Amino acid sequence: MTDERTYWLDTMQRIASPVLHSLANETLHSDLPTETPPLKPSALLEAFGRTICGLGPWLGATDIPENEKAVQAEFLDLYYRGLANGMRPESRDYMPIVGDHQPLVDMAFLADGILRGGDRMIDDMPEDVQDDFLYALQLTAQIKPYESNWVLFSVLVEIMRWKLDDPAYSQQKIDTLLQKMMQWYRGDGIYGDGQDVHVDYYNSYVIHPLLVDAVTYYSDAYTRSIRDVVYQRAARYAASLERVISPEGTFPVLGRSITYRFGAFHALAQAVWQHNLPENVAPSQVTAVIQRTATATDMFDANGWLNIGFYGNQPTMGEGYINHGSVYLCNTVFLPLGLPVSDPFWADPAKDWTAKAIYGNAPVPRDEPVNY
């Protein structure tokens, strides 16, 4: 699947490059498109945080092909320069935290990407940049989350503070909010978004990925006690996601934030990267959605920025909170790029995904609900 990895890498670069190059050059504020000027203040952090959330595993990987190493080194440099520009108050691309709730979301996505990338995402962070970043995290921690998937954003912010040795981080806050999320479980791999259950992809955009990462990167008595069941539920949900991919590589257009495009498969991509798929779902099955979605000729504008839409340029599909920075959550589908080329995901022969196999009249195991 060497050619497929090349396609993934090329597609990831095409999507992420405008964000990372503009921020590194301190021009993201002027370059990022907007449907309704002026640019929403949080849009810069949305674009950057969501991009890093998806690229973290690849940026932090040490076992990648030789032909990727120069690109990886370039993107790591762009990340560090971008982080410095985004966190420095004097910068033209400063990402303000106060005065809005949205920074809680995207500081958490940024933190999650850094945690996923490991020490390579932190080791070369200059002391003044780390100080600015930590201060931004501390400001973000003062934002109260809504009673919904937002509690997980507060959790990831606290875990990032812990990772940066902030003595004021709150273990109690982490545990209390995780307990709340666990109480919203509704069964068969599905969590409520707060007390409510919605027909959308928020279990994949946010809930399973951040919950899994919380118990992966932070360890105390409570997170250890729930770790296995969190992984099991995430595996079940990932298997369900794989089954919604049609034989043609399309998937249902359902619910809020659908303009995140193939970010709807964040949880599936994470399960592949972390080797957390059920036994009856082969990693090499999870490959069709990017290519089908990216066939839209107007997915990008003339300057290479993502348009708002599900397939192409469809701005009416975006809710009021959606801007051109928001849609970069689609980068989370690229988590498997953090796997070495020897991993079964890349090394195994391509295999039909479930729906394609079914419509090809091949034997397929029945889908079994779970009770954990």
Side-chain angles (χ1 to χ4, degrees):
M1 293 174 67
T2 303
D3 291 343
E4 185 157 357
R5 184 176 174 102
T6 299
Y7 173 80
W8 278 54
L9 187 69
D10 289 348
T11 306
M12 179 273 285
Q13 289 183 73
R14 185 180 182 189
I15 294 171
S17 286
V19 174
L20 297 181
H21 278 95
S22 289
L23 184 57
N25 293 323
E26 214 173 330
T27 60
L28 184 57
H29 187 274
S30 57
D31 293 346
L32 187 64
T34 178
E35 293 286 331
T36 55
L39 187 69
K40 186 178 178 182
S42 62
L44 279 66
L45 182 55
E46 292 184 59
F48 182 52
R50 296 168 189 225
T51 296
I52 296 302
C53 189
L55 272 59
W58 178 75
L59 289 172
T62 55
D63 187 2
I64 62 171
E66 284 296 324
N67 65 323
E68 294 181 20
K69 290 183 177 178
V71 179
Q72 184 198 49
E74 177 193 6
F75 272 48
L76 269 171
D77 177 65
L78 294 173
Y79 150 71
Y80 275 117
R81 288 163 54 195
L83 183 66
N85 287 335
M87 298 297 113
R88 189 177 71 252
E90 299 80 17
S91 168
R92 292 190 299 272
D93 281 343
Y94 176 59
M95 301 170 180
I97 303 301
V98 297
D100 190 3
H101 280 74
Q102 186 63 37
L104 174 59
V105 175
D106 297 292
M107 283 294 284
F109 280 135
L110 175 59
D112 200 19
I114 294 171
L115 291 166
R116 288 169 170 174
D119 291 341
R120 294 189 82 186
M121 304 288 284
I122 298 175
D123 284 350
D124 293 332
M125 196 181 296
E127 186 175 351
D128 62 331
V129 177
Q130 182 166 321
D131 289 344
D132 288 341
F133 182 36
L134 184 54
Y135 181 63
L137 288 163
Q138 291 166 343
L139 290 177
T140 307
Q142 298 175 26
I143 301 172
K144 184 178 180 180
Y146 298 114
E147 292 289 299
S148 66
N149 68 86
W150 278 51
V151 301
L152 294 172
F153 299 132
S154 290
V155 169
L156 266 295
V157 167
E158 290 303 310
I159 293 174
M160 191 73 246
R161 292 175 66 192
W162 163 78
K163 182 69 174 177
L164 295 178
D165 298 319
D166 182 354
Y169 95 94
S170 174
Q171 175 183 333
Q172 181 181 5
K173 185 176 183 180
I174 293 172
D175 290 351
T176 299
L177 294 178
L178 287 177
Q179 288 167 9
K180 186 171 290 190
M181 191 73 242
M182 296 297 284
Q183 290 169 1
W184 291 332
Y185 185 64
R186 296 294 180 255
D188 203 21
I190 301 293
Y191 289 88
D193 194 0
Q195 295 294 337
D196 299 325
V197 177
H198 303 286
V199 181
D200 58 26
Y201 292 102
Y202 266 83
N203 267 265
S204 187
Y205 295 141
V206 177
I207 296 172
H208 280 291
L210 270 63
L211 190 50
V212 165
D213 285 349
V215 302
T216 299
Y217 298 115
Y218 184 75
S219 181
D220 65 5
Y222 181 66
T223 56
R224 289 191 296 272
S225 73
I226 63 172
R227 187 169 294 149
D228 287 348
V229 73
V230 166
Y231 289 158
Q232 289 167 354
R233 292 171 179 176
R236 167 57 183 165
Y237 185 75
S240 300
L241 271 180
E242 191 271 342
R243 283 180 174 254
V244 308
I245 304 171
S246 79
E248 298 77 28
T250 60
F251 60 97
V253 185
L254 292 171
R256 302 168 295 155
S257 305
I258 200 63
T259 57
Y260 297 160
R261 292 183 172 90
F262 35 68
F265 293 89
H266 187 179
L268 182 56
Q270 182 192 51
V272 171
W273 172 54
Q274 296 182 333
H275 299 125
N276 191 38
L277 283 172
E279 291 182 3
N280 63 348
V281 181
S284 55
Q285 290 174 258
V286 190
T287 60
V289 171
I290 300 173
Q291 290 179 325
R292 182 65 182 89
T293 306
T295 59
T297 57
D298 56 351
M299 183 173 170
F300 301 91
D301 71 11
N303 296 313
W305 295 92
L306 281 174
N307 283 316
I308 295 172
F310 174 78
Y311 180 63
N313 184 21
Q314 302 155 313
T316 58
M317 296 187 74
E319 293 83 356
Y321 55 83
I322 296 293
N323 60 71
H324 283 268
S326 311
V327 296
Y328 282 88
L329 194 67
C330 68
N331 280 301
T332 55
V333 81
F334 297 116
L335 298 181
L337 283 171
L339 295 170
V341 293
S342 59
D343 189 88
F345 181 74
W346 301 115
D348 284 2
K351 181 180 178 181
D352 286 346
W353 54 99
T354 300
K356 188 173 182 180
I358 290 172
Y359 281 91
N361 202 26
V364 173
R366 64 180 177 270
D367 190 35
E368 297 281 2
V370 299
N371 296 319
Y372 42 71

